[in-house]
Amino acid sequence: MSDDKERKAADDRRELLKIKQSRQEMLNTENEEPSSEKKPAFEKPHGAAAVKNFFYYHKVTIIIAAAVLALAAYLIIQTVNRPEYDIRALLITADYNSGIFGTEETASAALNKFCPDLNGDGKNLAEVVGIDLAADEGSASYYLAETSKFSMEIQTLHTRLIITDEGFVPFVSDENGFQADYFVDFSEDFPELELFMGRGIRIKDTKLAAEGITENAVLFLRTKSADDESENDPLKELVEELIIG
């Protein structure tokens, strides 16, 4: 009887030991950190793959740089290929009924036939800049832009030759009336001509009438700058050549 008890006690101890071992293994398993998957080693791309990879990661920078280079190239080409004009004239529309508006190309082609080669490049080129002073004040931004352009040109004496119409007078008048001193007086050189406001030469009295410029237009020549003391005035000579004597 005592032997059976001893065997039973021994079996119980073994079972208890197994339970403890099993429990300890479970605790050890729970405390273990999950093993992370090992990432494959990074392989640096080569050849076409490397180029593709570079463009993928830097495409925004490349696009911006390409746009800047294209703009710079365009500006350089425009500067290099820009023609050097011998004379520059203003085509000022003050009255839409005069037929002057939008005839810059016609005026330029006409002046090209008579303008001197002042820069010595073997070409006779006249630049004609259109200014619209007949615009309604209701077109606020356009009207302001055109009047500002006119004010800049008329004050700087940058351009002396003006083709316009009779509606131009109020724009060069003040409380004392038309500012005739702004323009060259041809009355002594051509007393037979009926000058507009004592200064303007009507296109019908010049060779330009045969070149398509409307006869309603008037030609003015701004006086030279006070700093210009030279006796020779190629623009005055040009106007004199244009007048039919």
Side-chain angles (χ1 to χ4, degrees), residues 27-96:
L27 289 173
N28 291 340
T29 302
E30 290 177 357
N31 291 331
E32 285 181 359
E33 293 183 2
S35 58
S36 58
E37 294 183 3
K38 189 176 181 181
K39 295 182 179 179
F42 175 74
E43 237 184 274
K44 188 176 180 180
H46 300 282
V51 174
K52 184 178 180 180
N53 188 63
F54 176 82
F55 278 99
Y56 177 79
Y57 286 103
H58 301 279
K59 57 186 176 184
V60 174
T61 303
I62 293 172
I63 291 172
I64 294 175
V68 171
L69 289 174
L71 177 60
Y74 173 78
L75 293 176
I76 291 172
I77 292 172
Q78 289 293 100
T79 301
V80 171
N81 294 332
R82 184 178 181 181
E84 294 185 14
Y85 295 100
D86 297 291
I87 61 174
R88 188 170 184 268
L90 297 180
L91 186 74
I92 301 176
T93 303
D95 181 359
Y96 286 140

Side-chain angles (χ1 to χ4, degrees), residues 17-35:
L17 182 60
K18 287 180 180 179
I19 292 172
K20 288 182 177 181
Q21 289 177 342
S22 177
R23 185 177 180 184
Q24 186 62 43
E25 289 177 355
M26 291 177 63
L27 289 173
N28 291 340
T29 302
E30 290 177 357
N31 291 331
E32 285 181 359
E33 293 183 2
S35 58

Side-chain angles (χ1 to χ4, degrees), residues 90 153-162 168 172 181-184 220-225 233 235:
L90 297 180
E153 294 285 355
I154 207 72
Q155 291 176 16
T156 60
L157 273 174
H158 182 62
T159 305
R160 296 178 55 209
L161 201 62
I162 297 174
F168 175 66
V172 282
D181 290 343
Y182 284 170
F183 308 100
V184 175
F220 285 100
L221 179 64
R222 291 291 310 276
T223 53
K224 293 195 299 183
S225 169
D233 187 350
L235 288 182

Side-chain angles (χ1 to χ4, degrees), residues 94-239:
D95 181 359
Y96 286 140
N97 293 323
S98 65
I100 293 177
F101 182 73
T103 60
E104 287 89 349
E105 290 187 7
T106 300
S108 178
L111 289 173
N112 284 345
K113 293 187 177 182
F114 303 101
C115 77
D117 180 17
L118 297 180
N119 58 21
D121 63 356
K123 300 177 182 178
N124 304 81
L125 292 176
E127 179 185 20
V128 177
V129 178
I131 298 179
D132 181 10
L133 297 181
D136 194 298
E137 293 186 28
S139 307
S141 57
Y142 176 73
Y143 179 80
L144 179 61
E146 294 298 297
T147 53
S148 297
K149 187 198 301 185
F150 169 71
S151 296
M152 180 182 66
E153 294 285 355
I154 207 72
Q155 291 176 16
T156 60
L157 273 174
H158 182 62
T159 305
R160 296 178 55 209
L161 201 62
I162 297 174
I163 298 175
T164 185
D165 54 49
E166 296 185 6
F168 175 66
V169 172
F171 294 93
V172 282
S173 300
D174 56 20
E175 63 275 8
N176 298 316
F178 179 69
Q179 298 299 296
D181 290 343
Y182 284 170
F183 308 100
V184 175
D185 182 4
F186 290 93
S187 59
E188 292 185 6
D189 300 298
F190 302 96
E192 72 280 7
L193 292 182
E194 182 183 346
L195 301 177
F196 176 66
M197 302 299 293
R199 292 292 190 272
I201 301 167
R202 299 181 186 279
I203 291 297
K204 67 183 181 63
D205 294 326
T206 72
K207 298 176 184 178
L208 295 176
E211 304 299 330
I213 298 180
T214 175
E215 293 187 354
N216 295 324
V218 181
L219 180 66
F220 285 100
L221 179 64
R222 291 291 310 276
T223 53
K224 293 195 299 183
S225 169
D227 298 331
D228 187 355
E229 299 178 353
S230 61
E231 295 183 4
N232 181 42
D233 187 350
L235 288 182
K236 186 173 184 295
E237 293 173 2
L238 170 62
V239 174

